[in-house]
Amino acid sequence: MSGQRLAITGVRKIEMEHADPARAAKFYTDVWNLNEVAREDGSVYLRGACAAHHILAIHPSNGPARVREIALSARDKDAVDGLHARAKAGGFAVDAPAPRHTLDGGYGFSLRDPGGRRFSILCNARDHADDAQVRDRPYKVGHVNINTALIDEMISFYTEVFGMRLVDQAGTQYFFNADSPDHCTLVLCKYGMETLNHIAYEMCDLDSVLRGAGRMHDAGYPIEWGPGRHGPGDNAFCYFAGPEECPLEYTAEVLQIDETYEFHGPDHWKWPPGRLDQWGVTPPHTSRWKRVQTLYGFAK
Ligand SMILES: [Fe+2]
């Protein structure tokens, strides 16, 4: 893909299933600090400070809380059609590109990755008129990190079907860049099962990450790992177990890169003994965070 623009520009939105969407939405508005934009047929739609109509949809379900779909933004209609051709050739496409009859519309298609998780690729979806960084309010979904036992298949899927660029590997973590200056949009963690590692919501700065962490703490959601600053991506982080133990991250100040960025592997991204990040003040992640890694799945 060198020298070409990548087709995918970022994470557009996350679709989740909850037994009680209204209860989960109360957390996402009152504590996580998103804004509700719509309720329809039991589903609740929430936006961040970016223009996207919503970045999180919570749908009613009788099953366990889980991720229904990860929607990625594509540059334009040609990019969607090109991605569909690749997905179809690989046997991954679920449907053909078409206008989407959803609250935020747009044009796109759905596909399933090698682990059976559902993604969609969208362009021209409905936006709000305002788009501005707001202190202490999540702007967008910065990245999604997925645990997988199918690491080789998933790396091929992200690079060959999605056309993303593997920009770093640290330990079991693999970082993928889209057509965006953000260091990574998707992350894979080599793991023993197909679960959600975490969803990262981007704040405008470190101060906002810490203000959000304080609000989470006050509401009974302690920090499970952080505050810290990662090596790959250089982003500040705090991790939490949200509603139904959903693994969540507030992040900010992610490294901005271009095509000249050079890949570094696990030998480069090593910390001195006793350190887990650049600052060296965060304790190891909690036992709860380790357990949460095994809990949150995907609708198949
Ligand atoms: Fe992250």
Side-chain angles (χ1 to χ4, degrees):
M1 298 298 289
S2 178
Q4 296 177 28
R5 290 185 66 194
L6 307 181
I8 288 172
T9 57
V11 178
R12 168 84 189 183
K13 60 181 176 177
I14 307 292
E15 308 256 353
M16 308 192 86
E17 297 180 355
H18 272 264
D20 187 346
R23 190 167 60 84
K26 186 164 173 53
F27 162 82
Y28 281 106
T29 54
D30 296 0
V31 185
W32 200 244
N33 220 12
L34 301 179
N35 283 332
E36 182 177 327
V37 288
R39 284 191 189 215
E40 194 175 282
D41 299 330
S43 299
V44 186
Y45 300 84
L46 303 123
R47 70 169 294 191
C50 75
H53 178 271
H54 60 273
I55 61 172
L56 176 64
I58 308 171
H59 303 293
S61 167
N62 294 324
R66 57 189 181 177
V67 176
R68 176 180 291 182
E69 184 176 281
I70 299 166
L72 305 175
S73 302
R75 207 171 51 241
D76 52 26
K77 199 165 176 291
D78 286 347
V80 170
D81 291 341
L83 285 159
H84 179 262
R86 289 216 295 265
K88 191 176 177 191
F92 297 109
V94 172
D95 53 23
R100 308 293 278 185
H101 301 292
T102 54
L103 215 54
D104 56 346
Y107 172 85
F109 69 99
S110 296
L111 68 168
R112 289 190 192 280
D113 74 13
R117 285 167 290 258
R118 193 173 172 109
F119 283 83
S120 63
I121 310 285
L122 290 174
C123 69
N124 301 333
R126 191 170 304 135
D127 285 339
H128 299 280
D130 58 308
D131 183 346
Q133 296 278 3
V134 177
R135 188 187 195 195
D136 192 17
R137 183 177 303 288
Y139 179 72
K140 65 177 182 179
V141 175
H143 60 267
V144 179
N145 186 326
I146 292 172
N147 295 323
T148 182
L150 305 168
I151 192 68
D152 292 338
E153 293 92 330
M154 285 297 296
I155 291 171
S156 295
F157 181 76
Y158 279 6
T159 55
E160 291 167 21
V161 178
F162 285 167
M164 300 179 85
R165 186 161 69 107
L166 177 62
V167 287
D168 273 310
Q169 182 197 347
T172 56
Q173 310 271 342
Y174 298 73
F175 301 83
F176 296 85
N177 170 253
D179 182 28
S180 161
D182 291 347
H183 170 264
C184 62
T185 288
L186 296 176
V187 185
L188 292 173
C189 177
K190 187 178 179 182
Y191 202 70
M193 58 182 73
E194 308 299 318
T195 52
L196 178 65
N197 187 291
H198 65 272
I199 300 168
Y201 289 78
E202 182 191 293
M203 291 284 213
C204 64
D205 56 17
L206 171 61
D207 181 77
S208 295
V209 168
L210 295 176
R211 286 175 187 277
R215 197 172 46 252
M216 287 288 280
H217 177 269
D218 290 348
Y221 298 93
I223 296 173
E224 304 299 337
W225 188 32
R229 188 179 285 281
H230 285 307
D234 196 37
N235 49 316
F237 64 86
C238 278
Y239 293 94
F240 310 91
E244 311 295 336
E245 303 291 86
C246 184
L248 298 173
E249 177 186 5
Y250 277 141
T251 192
E253 302 181 357
V254 64
L255 182 68
Q256 302 292 285
I257 66 170
D258 61 21
E259 66 280 0
T260 63
Y261 184 81
E262 291 185 13
F263 173 91
H264 288 98
D267 290 342
H268 176 81
W269 298 114
K270 278 189 173 163
W271 303 115
R275 279 193 173 232
L276 300 166
D277 78 319
Q278 294 190 44
W279 294 333
V281 296
T282 183
H285 44 63
T286 63
S287 56
R288 182 186 185 189
W289 183 252
K290 284 183 192 166
R291 195 173 68 85
V292 164
Q293 293 299 308
T294 68
L295 295 179
Y296 216 87
F298 295 81
K300 297 289 174 71

